[in-house]
Amino acid sequence: MRALLSVSDKTGVLDLARELHALGVSLISTGGTAKLLADAGLPVAEVAEVTGFPEMLDGRVKTLHPKVHGGLLARRDTPEHMAALAAHGIDTIDLLVVNLYPFESTVAKAGCTLADAIENIDIGGPAMVRSAAKNWKDVAVLTDASQYAEVVAELKANKAVSDATRFKLAVAAFNRISNYDAAISDFLSAIDLSNGLPEQEVAPVRTLFPAQSNGRFIKLQDLRYGENPHQQAAFFRDLHPAPGSLVTATQLQGKELSYNNIADADAAWECVKSFDAPACVIVKHANPCGVAVGAHPLEAYSKAFQTDPTSAFGGIIAFNRPVDEAAALQVSKQFVEVLMAPGFTPEALAVFKTKVNVRVLQIALPASYGSDAAARAGLTAWDQGRNAVDIKRVGSGLLMQTADNHELTLADLKVVTKVHPTEQQLQDLLFAWKVATYVKSNAIVFCGNGMTMGVGAGQMSRLDSARIASIKAQAAGLSLAGTAVASDAFFPFRDGLDVVVDAGATCVIQPGGSMRDQEVIDAANERGVAMVYSGVRHFRH
């Protein structure tokens, strides 16, 4: 048996080579890998000795030779193939160990030049990997150090690598090549050519939306069904998920997550992450039905639950702080589908042990949580933007946009009425505005004292959303007197404003921008309420 080892990342390769040598496997290698093995006292033949040609062109050409690819591609069960090898003095290669030039990590560095990127595009490595993977029935191909132990164990036990393992390794190899080529395409097709070709020795300007999009996703699990039982579904994650995102969750207990569980959990988690203070978000059918902040998780949950106890039944609950026993005991009194938090005390987990169907997810928040750099630490500016791109599938196409993560501050607000909001009202308005970001349009959100008081979501008419929000509050036994209201887009007529004021609102935040803005401002002045413009809207379809 012969093995060819040629790795850029040399993690574990020396130990692997020692194991292979002990098993009687002949070693072939290239460049730095060959030197590493030889310096360790292992007998190794350089590829140049095998091919009869030296490495050339600064290492660009070393393995692109029939004596390498013939040895990888020849089918051992085909006499014509084996005769051709014998005629040309080519020996078979039975094990290939290759990882590729570090293109991804190179272009992830700030200031990476076009020249650096190009030089880190591997040619010979992918070619060998493809050859070995194509001939998986006869060749085992290892493309990651995590695979070494399994192969060594099989060789020790059976003196061969099983068909099943070789096939699995081949699939992993083709996936690696696909991801590698996609990363190259992502980088090159995102280079801004509006001012001509960039200089080779400078970092090129890259556009957020490349000329070709190459999404790479790994299946986490098949789901029982989709939104409805007659639909099939599966759950995938990004190849490189953002820290603190839903796909990084660990399920501590409970039934398998469903399609709808996952969609709602994402809505709840993204909303609760937007708060710095201890917060709780309850979501039902992708809309927050209760959001609140408090001194601790129990207070935040108790306030959020008050908003709409009816809708909270069977909801998804998310906290941005570890859940303690007190909060767990209160949550356990209702029917909950999914519970998420950055952590749970042992006492809290004990509360839910008897509720075996409750899905409990733990999601580690990024180290930079609460700062402007949250979930973006270690990324280049381009990757930060790309990581925050929302994608929606539309018949045979994709819609892409930057994420709606606009942060509104007090300094951004423009008071447009005679009555100015108080300091407390301003805080309530900012809270209501943040919640409205995560409510389906048309969205109307009543808030007060750090909690939602009434939520109107997803209606074709803003007027209907306003009415529904007040009806919800009334059903929950909440008074809307003195509340703040957020409208995710402008009021096209004064009627929507009148509805929220009639319900008890004393201050309103909306984007502005309607042809009838003055009519609405006049109505607010007539009703004696404060109104501020955010200058941005938050449509969420």
Side-chain angles (χ1 to χ4, degrees):
M1 176 180 282
R2 288 204 311 166
L4 195 164
L5 297 82
S6 179
V7 294
S8 174
D9 178 1
K10 295 176 175 53
T11 302
V13 74
L14 185 56
D15 289 337
L16 173 65
R18 286 182 175 131
E19 295 278 15
L20 294 175
H21 174 61
L23 290 165
V25 178
S26 300
L27 304 178
I28 312 167
S29 193
T30 61
T33 308
K35 184 177 185 306
L36 176 70
L37 304 187
D39 289 347
L42 291 169
V44 57
E46 290 214 36
V47 165
E49 299 174 37
V50 175
T51 64
F53 279 82
E55 293 185 14
M56 60 181 65
L57 307 181
D58 298 320
R60 285 189 172 198
V61 177
K62 49 190 172 186
T63 58
L64 298 170
H65 194 280
K67 287 200 171 182
V68 172
H69 287 273
L72 291 170
L73 282 166
R75 293 180 56 175
R76 302 345 183 220
D77 60 354
T78 303
E80 293 83 359
H81 283 202
M82 301 310 292
L85 292 190
H88 296 283
I90 299 174
D91 292 325
T92 58
I93 298 172
D94 309 290
L95 184 69
L96 177 70
V97 183
V98 169
N99 55 55
L100 310 177
Y101 290 176
F103 180 86
E104 294 101 328
S105 59
T106 297
V107 300
K109 296 175 183 175
C112 173
T113 67
L114 181 57
D116 286 340
I118 295 297
E119 283 307 309
N120 278 279
I121 296 176
D122 202 331
I123 303 300
M128 287 191 293
V129 168
R130 289 177 67 87
S131 291
K134 176 173 180 174
N135 200 27
W136 64 270
K137 286 189 175 181
D138 297 307
V139 182
V141 53
L142 287 72
T143 52
D144 190 88
S146 64
Q147 301 164 333
Y148 297 171
E150 180 182 10
V151 169
V152 167
E154 286 201 13
L155 287 172
K156 285 182 176 179
N158 308 313
K159 301 188 185 308
V161 182
S162 68
D163 288 350
T165 297
R166 286 197 306 274
F167 183 76
K168 180 176 69 175
L169 292 170
V171 172
F174 282 121
N175 288 343
R176 176 66 187 118
I177 297 302
S178 171
N179 293 333
Y180 192 74
D181 287 343
I184 296 168
S185 172
D186 283 346
F187 180 86
L188 295 179
S189 65
I191 293 176
D192 186 354
L193 299 176
S194 58
N195 294 316
L197 284 171
E199 295 291 332
Q200 293 288 302
E201 301 304 326
V202 301
V205 175
R206 288 189 283 171
T207 61
L208 189 57
F209 303 109
Q212 177 170 315
S213 177
N214 302 281
R216 282 98 75 200
F217 303 93
I218 295 173
K219 186 167 73 174
L220 295 179
Q221 65 187 94
D222 288 308
L223 303 174
R224 286 184 300 162
Y225 52 80
E227 283 185 285
N228 301 290
H230 61 273
Q231 294 172 270
Q232 296 180 347
F235 185 28
F236 289 76
R237 71 160 172 82
D238 276 313
L239 184 64
H240 302 292
S245 53
L246 179 66
V247 295
T248 66
T250 299
Q251 185 167 349
L252 304 181
Q253 72 158 61
K255 294 190 300 185
E256 185 178 283
L257 289 162
S258 72
Y259 181 99
N260 292 330
N261 289 156
I262 294 167
D264 286 349
D266 184 60
W269 185 244
E270 290 304 311
C271 183
V272 84
K273 281 197 305 180
S274 69
F275 291 94
D276 294 330
C280 175
V281 174
I282 306 174
V283 161
K284 192 68 171 291
H285 293 294
N287 277 302
C289 60
V291 180
V293 294
H296 43 71
L298 174 59
E299 182 183 0
Y301 168 73
S302 299
K303 292 164 66 176
F305 183 75
Q306 288 179 57
T307 303
D308 190 352
T310 301
S311 296
F313 181 84
I316 309 292
I317 302 176
F319 292 90
N320 64 353
R321 294 290 192 278
V323 173
D324 57 18
E325 184 180 27
L329 286 169
Q330 196 65 26
V331 170
S332 69
K333 293 178 181 179
Q334 75 166 99
F335 170 45
V336 55
E337 289 277 5
V338 181
L339 176 63
M340 294 173 288
F344 298 85
T345 66
E347 296 79 10
L349 290 176
V351 169
F352 289 101
K353 276 192 175 179
T354 58
K355 297 181 177 292
V356 295
N357 288 333
V358 176
R359 303 160 178 91
V360 177
L361 306 182
Q362 182 168 312
I363 311 178
L365 289 165
S368 53
Y369 171 71
S371 73
D372 291 340
R376 292 172 173 79
L379 297 176
T380 66
W382 185 77
D383 283 326
Q384 288 175 22
R386 181 172 156 79
N387 191 261
V389 168
D390 286 337
I391 300 174
K392 183 177 182 179
R393 192 86 160 99
V394 292
S396 298
L398 296 175
L399 286 172
M400 293 188 180
Q401 65 175 351
T402 56
D404 185 6
N405 52 15
H406 180 271
E407 287 287 336
L408 196 68
T409 67
L410 286 173
D412 299 320
L413 302 181
K414 178 184 177 183
V415 180
V416 295
T417 50
K418 296 175 182 177
V419 177
H420 282 238
T422 66
E423 289 300 317
Q424 182 58 53
Q425 285 178 324
L426 287 171
Q427 294 304 318
D428 287 340
L429 288 169
L430 287 178
F431 179 88
W433 185 251
K434 182 169 288 190
V435 174
T437 307
Y438 298 94
V439 177
K440 300 289 186 181
S441 299
N442 289 309
I444 295 290
V445 181
F446 287 83
C447 293
N449 190 32
M451 63 178 282
T452 48
M453 306 290 282
V455 179
Q459 298 304 304
M460 292 71 76
S461 160
R462 189 161 302 280
L463 187 61
D464 287 340
S465 289
R467 289 168 176 157
I468 288 172
S470 60
I471 292 169
K472 286 280 192 180
Q474 184 179 14
L478 297 175
S479 171
L480 297 180
T483 52
V485 167
S487 173
D488 65 344
F490 60 67
F491 288 101
F493 304 96
R494 69 167 289 167
D495 51 4
L497 179 76
D498 284 326
V499 168
V500 301
V501 175
D502 288 343
T506 55
C507 56
V508 176
I509 182 170
Q510 60 135 318
S514 168
M515 293 176 60
R516 294 182 176 84
D517 270 353
Q518 191 58 51
E519 174 187 322
V520 180
I521 292 171
D522 291 342
N525 285 327
E526 176 189 320
R527 302 299 301 270
V529 298
M531 187 162 65
V532 300
Y533 281 179
S534 63
V536 294
R537 77 177 187 195
H538 279 310
F539 274 167
R540 190 176 184 86
H541 289 89

